Amino acid sequence: MTTERLEPATTADERTMLEGWLDYHRRTLAWKCEGLTDVQLRTAAVEPSELTLMGLVRHMAEVERFWFHEILLGEDLGALYCTEEDRDGDFHFTEADTWEEAYATWQAEIANARRDAAGVGLDDLSKGRSRSGEAFNLRWIITHMIEEYARHNGHADLIRERVDGSTGD
């Protein structure tokens, strides 16, 4: 599989540009994971960190679900990997957990996020609230997701370089 990353439009309207940048960063994470073995996808950045490419993908599946479904729509589907006992469950996996499952779950959550946001305007407020009771408009959620992916793509760059020496934007 070859991940195609399209540069976001430089003259688009606001929503198209925001969604373009979010998709660009989603594809960047997929690209950073491309062509690696299961062992490589499970390789931590540096000891004692548990940060791995597979963990980042599972984490972003959780983040997509949380912001676009739980916060935006106000519907709690429950966490995918994390529990009250293990808040970092997205980074903790067993031999039974597979890359195929992690990737498929992440892609499904991206598709769900696109569907959930499709009928919502950028200024529309979320039905769900933060722990402090704060609502968010869709513009803030998309901007936050761009920031979240950009930060974790930096982590993915370093992990990928450690795993097989590959570098690049």
Side-chain angles (χ1 to χ4, degrees):
M1 175 181 104
T2 301
T3 301
E4 184 179 355
R5 290 186 319 150
L6 302 174
E7 292 286 327
T10 59
T11 58
D13 64 89
E14 182 181 14
R15 179 150 188 162
T16 302
M17 195 168 293
L18 287 170
E19 289 176 345
W21 276 107
L22 180 53
D23 282 340
Y24 178 83
H25 281 292
R26 287 168 170 156
R27 288 186 190 106
T28 297
L29 182 56
W31 176 57
K32 290 296 176 179
C33 297
E34 201 167 84
L36 296 177
T37 66
D38 190 66
V39 170
Q40 290 172 315
L41 290 162
R42 294 167 176 262
T43 299
V46 291
E47 297 292 329
S49 174
E50 297 178 309
L51 196 61
T52 65
L53 290 168
M54 186 164 142
L56 284 174
V57 164
R58 287 168 42 126
H59 174 69
M60 292 311 298
E62 291 273 20
V63 172
E64 293 272 359
R65 176 180 277 217
F66 176 77
W67 281 105
F68 286 103
H69 204 82
E70 187 169 329
I71 296 297
L72 184 63
L73 298 185
E75 299 174 6
D76 186 1
L77 299 177
L80 295 163
Y81 306 106
C82 301
T83 64
E84 286 295 320
E85 298 77 35
D86 187 2
R87 292 192 174 274
D88 292 323
D90 37 4
F91 292 100
H92 303 148
F93 28 83
T94 68
E95 290 302 315
D97 295 310
T98 66
W99 168 249
E100 290 76 21
E101 180 279 328
Y103 184 82
T105 298
W106 177 46
Q107 292 304 302
E109 290 305 322
I110 290 171
N112 291 339
R114 287 184 180 123
R115 182 199 66 228
D116 293 344
V120 179
L122 289 177
D123 292 320
D124 292 348
L125 292 179
S126 62
K127 294 178 182 163
R129 301 291 188 261
S130 68
R131 289 183 188 102
S132 64
E134 188 174 22
F136 304 86
N137 67 23
L138 179 59
R139 179 183 292 102
W140 189 96
I141 291 171
I142 294 173
T143 302
H144 173 69
M145 290 297 295
I146 293 167
E147 177 271 331
E148 183 89 9
Y149 270 103
R151 180 167 32 99
H152 289 313
N153 283 338
H155 298 136
D157 282 339
L158 295 173
I159 297 168
R160 181 69 191 240
E161 185 174 9
R162 180 183 187 282
V163 165
D164 73 350
S166 294
T167 60
D169 65 349

